[in-house]
Amino acid sequence: MLPQVLTATLSDNTSVMLVSKYSNGPVKLFAGYEFIRYAPPSNPFAPRTGFSDIAGDFVCAGCAAINNTNINNTAFTPATSYSMYSGLE
C-alpha cells in the first residue's frame, strides 16, 4: 500500500507540428510551427471504473478507500499553446 493516493491525471490533447528545411549550397534555413490544445477528457471515468497501468495495477476513479488510487478528470482547463521557430545555418 502506498503512503499516499496514486492519482492518474487524464487529458485530451490535440497537436499539430509543421516543420521545413530549405538548403541552397552551404546555406540552410529551418522553420517550424507547433499547435497544442489541452483539454479535459471528453469521456471521463465514472466512479469505480478505471484502467490497468503499465505495471498491471488497477487505477480507478474514487477508489482511494479501496485500493488507494484515483483518477483526476478535471486537472486541465482548456488551453492552447502556439510555438514558432526559425534558424539559419
Side-chain angles (χ1 to χ4, degrees):
M1 211 46 138
L2 295 171
Q4 69 275 356
V5 176
L6 174 65
T7 302
T9 302
L10 305 180
S11 67
D12 283 345
N13 299 337
T14 304
S15 64
V16 174
M17 180 180 253
L18 303 171
V19 294
S20 64
K21 174 183 165 186
Y22 174 78
S23 61
N24 187 1
V27 177
K28 295 179 186 174
L29 176 65
F30 305 90
Y33 170 80
E34 183 177 24
F35 165 83
I36 304 173
R37 187 187 70 200
Y38 304 96
S42 55
N43 297 316
F45 283 94
R48 308 278 190 259
T49 63
F51 60 92
S52 294
D53 67 8
I54 195 168
D57 300 321
F58 185 68
V59 179
C60 72
C63 292
I66 298 169
N67 68 352
N68 217 25
T69 64
N70 191 26
I71 297 174
N72 188 346
N73 291 310
T74 60
F76 289 98
T77 55
T80 304
S81 170
Y82 303 95
S83 300
M84 291 184 277
Y85 64 91
S86 62
L88 181 66
E89 183 179 306

